[in-house]
Amino acid sequence: MQLDHFLSASGQEQPQLSFSQDWNGKDNPLVDATSSGQGFQLQFQNGNTLQVRMVSKGDLTRIVTRWRFVREGEYRLYAITRLPNGQKGQEIFLPAIWYQGNRQGEGKFPSETIAENFSFLETRSSLPCAVVLAGSRDTLCQCISPAPRKPLASVSWRGDCAITTIPGAEWPYSYRGKGKLVPTQDETKPRWHFARGEEYEREWILMLSPSDGVLAAWERFVRALDARPLWKPSLSWKRYGTTKLAHLLSLIRFEEGEPYLLMGSGNGAEQQVYEFTAGSFLVKGLEAATEFATTPAWMLQDPHVRKRLETLMPKLGASRMEDAPPFGLAAGTLLPQGRARSRSLAGLPRPDKRHLGRIPRHRRASGVQDDGEQPHYRGGHAAVRAAVRGACPLRSGRRALS
């Protein structure tokens, strides 16, 4: 038995939501549903309950669920959201995962040329289990809150609905690295052991909008989330930035006194992939050059960044960061200072105004912004080249990018 519940009693068209679970490999059907304020409570045959609370924030609907287990056992939990009035999902979009069936390109990756439907773990996208279903009249956008602990969830789709499964699984294939699309049809569906009296909470965030394209609907959804945050990120953007910078610094190596950027390390059998792509123009060398060239002064005061920089100083003939003129660290920048051809981490001069002057006039305004401290590069081939000239390592692995 499965019960469908409208997300709103306003009479307006709304997506539909239903829940189910199996217990020790068998269906554990719903037997009762009662309304309670802004939500309802479901009861399953073995006595388990599910409390559902609905909160509207602007165009967003937040579905807060609390599963309570009366009987111990191995479980799989399901949540299904549907487009209203039986509309079929004419187009499916999973940000960073699936667009227009992934029909373009060559290689081994999930594509509708291989299978009609796929299931992906929540960790595949920045918004967990994000999916957009475009029907004939409406578009449904959905994501869930990050898992507070294991088990992880996965998302799939079928016809007019998006299906969230806990614990999650990837099928019929799972992308396990470059050139590795592993068949999973024969793998046992995972279940999670819940003890008697244990509770498990997750949130679903939904938005229904007119069908004017999946990308337009997704942009509205993300903007709505940004305007009305539904959960606090576990990692701030500031901490994320300093962590990324410290990681890039940790990958700097020296060979015969010349610094270069290592394409990762400790990747086991996949390390050969990093070494193979090290000579590519659009990989870590260019990214690192841009990151170093646009590093703001406050990042240099982060203890993790300073620790990484201090390990580089002896190799550059300096005992303290403040004594390292190539960096100009006292001035708060990773770029070399002055007009002298001093050597930065890449041994290249700073992109001063003489370099920027070579940028064509029609690119100069959009490519470079001078905020009085250091140049910031925002696209444009010439602007990126200028950033590369004065920033750090242009070598990835053992192959020069320049």
Side-chain angles (χ1 to χ4, degrees), residues 231-248:
W231 61 79
K232 184 178 179 180
S234 58
L235 186 66
S236 69
W237 282 113
K238 182 176 181 180
R239 181 64 183 275
Y240 177 81
T242 54
T243 301
K244 290 282 286 185
L245 178 59
H247 178 64
L248 282 174

Side-chain angles (χ1 to χ4, degrees), residues 202-215:
R202 290 300 283 268
E203 298 180 15
W204 277 255
I205 299 90
L206 311 176
M207 188 177 77
L208 195 67
S209 60
S211 281
D212 56 353
V214 293
L215 299 182

Side-chain angles (χ1 to χ4, degrees), residues 64-350:
V64 184
T65 66
R66 176 180 293 178
W67 306 72
R68 189 173 189 277
F69 300 91
V70 175
R71 303 289 297 275
E72 183 176 0
E74 309 296 319
Y75 287 91
R76 292 200 89 197
L77 315 177
Y78 303 91
I80 300 176
T81 47
R82 289 183 172 87
L83 287 163
N85 298 326
Q87 298 177 64
K88 298 298 181 183
Q90 298 179 339
E91 185 176 359
I92 312 297
F93 173 53
L94 280 72
I97 301 175
W98 188 273
Y99 179 59
Q100 295 183 345
N102 287 357
R103 295 185 296 270
Q104 303 300 319
E106 298 180 359
K108 294 184 178 180
F109 52 84
S111 169
E112 68 177 14
T113 61
I114 301 173
E116 184 178 356
N117 304 96
F118 278 80
S119 175
F120 299 97
L121 286 173
E122 65 175 271
T123 49
R124 293 287 189 180
S125 58
S126 56
L127 289 178
C129 290
V131 60
V132 180
L133 294 177
S136 56
R137 290 181 301 179
D138 303 300
T139 299
L140 172 64
C141 298
Q142 169 189 298
C143 70
I144 65 175
S145 60
R149 55 183 175 85
K150 289 186 177 182
L152 298 175
S154 62
V155 64
S156 58
W157 65 92
R158 183 182 65 246
D160 64 338
C161 64
I163 306 166
T164 307
T165 306
I166 305 171
E170 296 197 327
W171 51 259
Y173 298 90
S174 178
Y175 184 76
R176 306 283 175 85
K178 190 174 181 67
K180 292 185 178 180
L181 194 61
V182 180
T184 58
Q185 296 95 321
D186 297 331
E187 294 183 5
T188 303
K189 292 182 178 180
R191 291 179 171 80
W192 193 262
H193 182 86
F194 287 103
R196 180 179 179 180
E198 189 173 356
E199 295 184 349
Y200 183 78
E201 297 184 7
R202 290 300 283 268
E203 298 180 15
W204 277 255
I205 299 90
L206 311 176
M207 188 177 77
L208 195 67
S209 60
S211 281
D212 56 353
V214 293
L215 299 182
W218 177 249
E219 181 179 353
R220 285 193 296 269
F221 183 61
V222 172
R223 290 186 182 279
L225 280 173
D226 185 57
R228 299 175 179 270
L230 300 177
W231 61 79
K232 184 178 179 180
S234 58
L235 186 66
S236 69
W237 282 113
K238 182 176 181 180
R239 181 64 183 275
Y240 177 81
T242 54
T243 301
K244 290 282 286 185
L245 178 59
H247 178 64
L248 282 174
L249 290 170
S250 73
L251 294 177
I252 294 175
R253 301 291 187 272
F254 289 81
E255 181 178 312
E256 298 179 355
E258 182 183 359
Y260 64 92
L261 188 69
L262 189 68
M263 283 295 295
S265 61
N267 296 294
E270 303 302 324
Q271 184 63 32
Q272 60 180 344
V273 176
Y274 286 86
E275 295 174 358
F276 173 77
T277 60
S280 174
F281 181 69
L282 296 176
V283 286
K284 294 295 183 182
L286 182 59
E287 178 187 357
T290 306
E291 290 301 314
F292 286 131
T294 59
T295 299
W298 63 263
M299 277 192 172
L300 303 182
Q301 305 307 316
D302 179 81
H304 296 92
V305 173
R306 290 184 69 87
K307 181 179 179 180
R308 294 297 182 186
L309 288 171
E310 286 169 356
T311 62
L312 296 173
M313 294 302 101
K315 298 177 181 178
L316 294 164
S319 58
R320 301 184 310 149
M321 289 194 294
E322 289 73 16
D323 296 335
F327 292 97
L329 293 175
T333 174
L334 282 175
L335 293 175
Q337 301 297 295
R339 296 187 177 182
R341 295 183 61 84
S342 55
R343 297 179 65 84
S344 68
L345 289 180
L348 296 173
R350 179 189 183 190

